[in-house]
Amino acid sequence: MGRLADDVVCDAPAGRLLGVDAYRQFLGPFAQLLLGSELLAAFGDDTTAVLVYDTRTPPVASAPGAECLTVRDGKIVHNRFIFDRLPFEVARRSAG
Amino acid sequence: MGRLADDVVCDAPAGRLLGVDAYRQFLGPFAQLLLGSELLAAFGDDTTAVLVYDTRTPPVASAPGAECLTVRDGKIVHNRFIFDRLPFEVARRSAG
């Protein structure tokens, strides 16, 4: 996938995150929950890559996601994450 | 994009829809709300296509989505839609 640019811009469902630290703080907690994932599709060209996958975590048995990455000079400068926050929100609410 | 197979399977955030009628009932109301859309990425091969786009509707100014389509014999037999339902849910709640 290439490395993250220091000033990577991440458009997540909750809003825009700036920089590699914010990016890692966004993904870290999710990565720790991850029980499994399945890659459904991966395409790309010199500047853009798209991933579609399914994820399995304790709160949500199946949470598909997509990422649309922009690469410049071998580094990821932008990533748009698309997934449905609603089942995570419902799980959080029912957990109290 | 190809035509929809009569028995198209659609995996939407709210669950699985079977058949072309269910598919159209899912997309129809959204299509009527649509003020604009912007294609962000489109890739594919002989059997799979992935679209990433942003959409603009009255309740949600920016709602990115992704579709991962499977094509067989020139027809769409499966489509997985990925988008965040949460902002639509929030808009519905605040509209009463």
Side-chain angles (χ1 to χ4, degrees):
Chain A
M1 287 309 313
R3 273 173 299 175
L4 294 168
D6 289 341
D7 59 351
V8 59
V9 174
C10 173
D11 282 315
R16 175 162 285 193
L17 303 168
L18 298 177
V20 66
D21 290 343
Y23 189 103
R24 290 193 174 127
Q25 282 163 31
F26 162 64
L27 274 193
F30 183 75
Q32 290 204 324
L33 283 179
L34 204 58
L35 299 173
S37 66
E38 183 192 359
L39 187 65
L40 301 174
F43 290 102
D45 58 24
D46 287 348
T47 61
T48 306
V50 175
L51 304 175
V52 181
Y53 47 76
D54 197 12
T55 65
R56 188 161 49 91
T57 58
V60 183
S62 169
E67 297 181 29
C68 183
L69 302 107
T70 309
V71 175
R72 197 155 47 221
D73 300 329
K75 293 190 174 181
I76 297 166
V77 294
H78 182 262
N79 193 359
R80 181 182 297 273
F81 283 84
I82 303 173
F83 62 91
D84 184 16
R85 286 180 293 171
L86 192 57
F88 293 95
E89 182 70 16
V90 168
R92 188 160 30 230
R93 258 185 262 143
S94 59
Chain B
M1 289 305 315
R3 273 173 297 174
L4 294 169
D6 289 341
D7 58 351
V8 59
V9 174
C10 173
D11 282 314
R16 174 162 285 193
L17 303 168
L18 298 177
V20 66
D21 290 344
Y23 189 104
R24 290 192 175 128
Q25 282 164 31
F26 162 64
L27 274 193
F30 183 75
Q32 291 205 325
L33 283 179
L34 204 60
L35 298 173
S37 67
E38 183 192 358
L39 187 65
L40 302 174
F43 290 101
D45 58 23
D46 288 347
T47 61
T48 305
V50 175
L51 305 175
V52 180
Y53 47 77
D54 197 11
T55 65
R56 188 162 49 91
T57 58
V60 183
S62 169
E67 297 181 28
C68 183
L69 303 106
T70 308
V71 176
R72 198 154 46 221
D73 300 330
K75 292 190 175 180
I76 297 166
V77 293
H78 182 262
N79 194 357
R80 180 182 299 273
F81 282 84
I82 303 173
F83 62 92
D84 184 16
R85 286 179 294 171
L86 192 59
F88 293 95
E89 181 70 15
V90 168
R92 187 158 31 228
R93 259 185 261 143
S94 61

